[in-house]
Amino acid sequence: MKFMQFNTKVIHGGQENIDPGYGSVMPPIYQTTTFTQTSPGKHKGYAYSRTANPTRTALENSLASIENGRFGLTFSSGLAAIDAILKLLKTGDEVISTNNLYGGSYRLFTKIFENYGLKFKFINMEKASEIEAYITPKTKLIWVETPTNPMMNIIDIKEVSNIAKRNQIKLAVDNTFATAYLQRPLDLGADIVMHSATKYLGGHSDVVMGSIVINNQELAERLYFIQNASGAIAGPMDCFLVLRGIKTLHLRMQRHSENGKAVAHFLKTHPQVEKVYWPGFEEHPNHKVAKTQMKDFGGMVSFTTKGNSVKQALAFVEKLKIFTLAESLGGVESLAGHPVSMTHASVPKEERDKIGIEDSLIRLSIGIEDKEDLIKDLEQALRE
Ligand code: P1T
C-alpha cells in the first residue's frame, strides 16, 4: 500500500494480516518465550522470542512504515538501540557526534565504548560543512541528534548526509525529539534512524523502549544479528503499548507543537526569563533548516532565568503544579526538568558550559493539556 500518507500509515502501516487466526484488529500480545516446532527448525516463522516475536514484528513493521524505511527493530530502551548501532563498529573506528546530545548517550559513548577502543569526537554541527575537517580514514559513523537535547540545536540532516556519502561514512540520526511526524531522516539521506520510543512514540510515559529503522538490507541483517546476539529486545506487552501509542502520534505531535509554540512565545516575553531555546523562533540560529526539514517545531522548549542560579531553577520547578518535575519527555502530560542536576548530570561541567547547559536551564516537555493552563502554571512558578 505505497499510496498511504502519514496519518494513514500510523494506523495501518505494516499491519496487513495482523492476526491470520482470528482477524483481531490489534495484534495479539504473544506473551510467550517460545514456539512449537513440528520437527527441529520447522515452525511458523517464530522459534524463540529473543530472535523474533509476532507482536514485536507488528510494531517493527509499523515503525518501518512511518519512517519510510524497509526494516524496523525494537530494543529494551533507547540506549540499548544506540548500543546495538555502535556494535556495528570495531576497535579503532572513529565516530563524529554532535556535542550536544542526551547525557545518557554521551555516557554510553565515553564510559562504555571508549573502553572498547572506539574514539568519539564531539563537535558543534550547526554549520554542517565544518564536520568535514574532523573526518579521517578511521571515521565510520556520524551521530546526529536534532533537535538536540536539551539546547534545541538544529542540524541539517541532508547536508550532513551528503558529507557522509561523499566520505563513505554511515549517518545515524536520533529522531527522538522530532519523531517521524515532524521529520524523516531516511528521506533526507540518513542510513539509520533511531528513537527512544520511551518518549513520543509510546507517548504515555508507561514504556521504556528503543527503535531503529533502516533501508539497507545488509545493514539490517547485521543489526538483526546484533539484536539477537546481544539480546536487549523489547517485550511483547511493551510492543503492544508502543503500537497503540503510534496510532495517535500524528494527533499528539500536532497538539504538542501547538502548545510548544504558545509556551515558547509566553516565555519569550516574560521579564524573569533570560533566553528561550525553541527552533520556531526566526532568530533561532538554524530556524531556516528547521523550517525546511521539519513539519512543525515540536513540544520541547528550554529556557534560562535572569540571575542564572541553580537555586532559582530549583525554586521554579518545585513550585510547578500542572507540570511534573521528572526525567523523560514526550508523554501526554507536561514535564519539567533541570538538566544540570537530572538528564545531563553525567556530562562534565566544562562540557556543559561549552554547549550552553547553564545552571538555571530548565527543559520543558510540553504536553497536550490546555495551553492556557500550562501558561498559568508557568506564570505562577516564575512569580517571585
Ligand atoms: O531512556 P531511553 O529509552 O534509554 O532513551 C535514551 C535517549 C536517547 N536519545 C534521546 C534524545 C533521549 O532523550 C533519550 C532519553 N532521554 C531522557 C530520559 C531525558 O529525559 O532526556
Side-chain angles (χ1 to χ4, degrees):
M1 285 198 278
K2 286 223 156 48
F3 62 86
M4 281 195 287
Q5 295 183 57
F6 190 81
N7 299 347
T8 311
K9 278 187 175 178
V10 294
I11 294 162
H12 300 290
Q15 304 304 296
E16 299 86 14
N17 200 19
I18 201 80
D19 175 23
Y22 296 102
S24 64
V25 169
M26 280 298 281
I29 303 164
Y30 284 92
Q31 197 72 47
T32 183
T33 54
T34 193
F35 300 82
T36 313
Q37 307 193 17
T38 49
S39 181
K42 275 200 180 157
H43 51 71
K44 295 181 175 170
Y46 294 92
Y48 184 57
S49 281
R50 171 163 34 73
T51 314
N53 172 287
T55 318
R56 198 169 95 212
T57 305
L59 172 61
E60 291 176 341
N61 289 345
S62 165
L63 287 162
S65 167
I66 63 172
E67 283 288 356
N68 285 346
R70 288 172 63 208
F71 307 98
L73 297 96
T74 53
F75 296 84
S76 54
S77 69
L79 285 178
I82 302 176
D83 178 272
I85 294 167
L86 291 172
K87 284 175 178 161
L88 292 165
L89 306 179
K90 291 198 175 61
T91 302
D93 287 349
E94 292 179 2
V95 180
I96 301 177
S97 165
T98 41
N99 63 354
N100 176 214
L101 73 170
Y102 170 55
S105 310
Y106 179 84
R107 182 179 54 199
L108 177 65
F109 293 171
T110 55
K111 295 283 193 286
I112 305 284
F113 281 98
E114 279 187 357
N115 291 340
Y116 290 87
L118 295 189
K119 193 173 165 195
F120 294 86
K121 294 176 184 171
F122 296 97
I123 66 166
N124 183 324
M125 293 188 182
E126 284 169 296
K127 286 201 184 82
S129 58
E130 292 177 2
I131 296 173
E132 205 114 33
Y134 296 88
I135 295 174
T136 75
K138 290 184 180 166
T139 310
K140 294 287 157 24
L141 181 71
I142 298 178
W143 187 266
V144 162
E145 197 180 286
T146 181
T148 63
N149 182 356
M151 299 311 300
M152 307 303 295
N153 295 341
I154 298 293
I155 295 156
D156 188 333
I157 299 172
K158 205 167 187 178
E159 202 183 338
V160 179
S161 105
N162 289 338
I163 294 169
K165 283 191 173 56
R166 261 204 312 279
N167 291 279
Q168 293 174 316
I169 299 167
K170 294 265 180 282
L171 168 61
V173 176
D174 182 337
N175 204 26
T176 300
F177 270 33
T179 79
Y181 175 78
L182 295 177
Q183 87 192 353
R184 287 185 283 282
L186 298 181
D187 289 352
L188 298 169
D191 300 287
I192 301 173
V193 58
M194 171 265 148
H195 278 94
S196 168
T198 316
K199 316 303 179 199
Y200 290 107
L201 296 182
H204 296 76
S205 305
D206 51 11
V207 184
V208 175
M209 192 190 288
S211 71
I212 296 175
V213 178
I214 54 269
N215 263 321
N216 178 286
Q217 180 149 4
E218 191 244 317
L219 195 56
E221 279 165 12
R222 288 173 65 204
L223 284 164
Y224 284 124
F225 179 84
I226 293 167
Q227 183 190 40
N228 184 46
S230 287
I233 48 127
M237 179 69 198
D238 288 352
C239 289
F240 176 86
L241 286 171
V242 172
L243 193 57
R244 178 161 80 164
I246 288 175
K247 287 176 193 274
T248 55
L249 179 68
H250 53 313
L251 301 175
R252 288 184 288 106
M253 289 312 290
Q254 200 173 357
R255 182 62 66 87
H256 284 298
S257 300
E258 189 185 311
N259 286 359
K261 180 180 180 180
V263 166
H265 279 96
F266 160 76
L267 290 170
K268 196 180 172 188
T269 54
H270 196 283
Q272 290 297 107
V273 172
E274 180 75 45
K275 283 181 234 156
V276 185
Y277 300 93
W278 178 68
F281 290 134
E282 268 179 33
E283 61 273 24
H284 182 285
N286 267 351
H287 173 69
K288 273 200 189 130
V289 178
K291 231 173 137 180
T292 318
Q293 79 184 9
M294 298 172 77
K295 185 184 169 79
D296 205 334
F297 305 107
M300 297 301 295
V301 180
S302 297
F303 70 99
T304 56
T305 45
K306 297 212 166 111
N308 192 31
S309 75
V310 170
K311 201 170 148 227
Q312 232 176 354
L314 297 187
F316 168 79
V317 291
E318 284 168 11
K319 271 197 249 168
L320 290 166
K321 292 191 165 63
I322 293 176
F323 280 83
T324 304
L325 173 62
E327 303 272 353
S328 204
L329 59 110
V332 289
E333 66 289 304
S334 292
L335 301 182
H338 180 234
V340 165
S341 51
M342 296 168 75
T343 48
H344 291 70
S346 56
V347 179
K349 182 165 167 46
E350 60 274 18
E351 289 299 319
R352 288 202 307 256
D353 287 347
K354 263 189 238 165
I355 53 186
I357 303 182
E358 295 181 67
D359 286 352
S360 74
L361 188 77
I362 305 283
R363 189 192 71 182
L364 300 176
S365 170
I366 313 295
I368 59 171
E369 302 95 335
D370 284 307
K371 54 181 179 273
E372 295 81 6
D373 292 341
L374 298 178
I375 288 170
K376 271 191 199 137
D377 191 26
L378 296 170
E379 207 162 31
Q380 66 79 21
L382 280 165
R383 216 171 286 140
E384 285 187 270

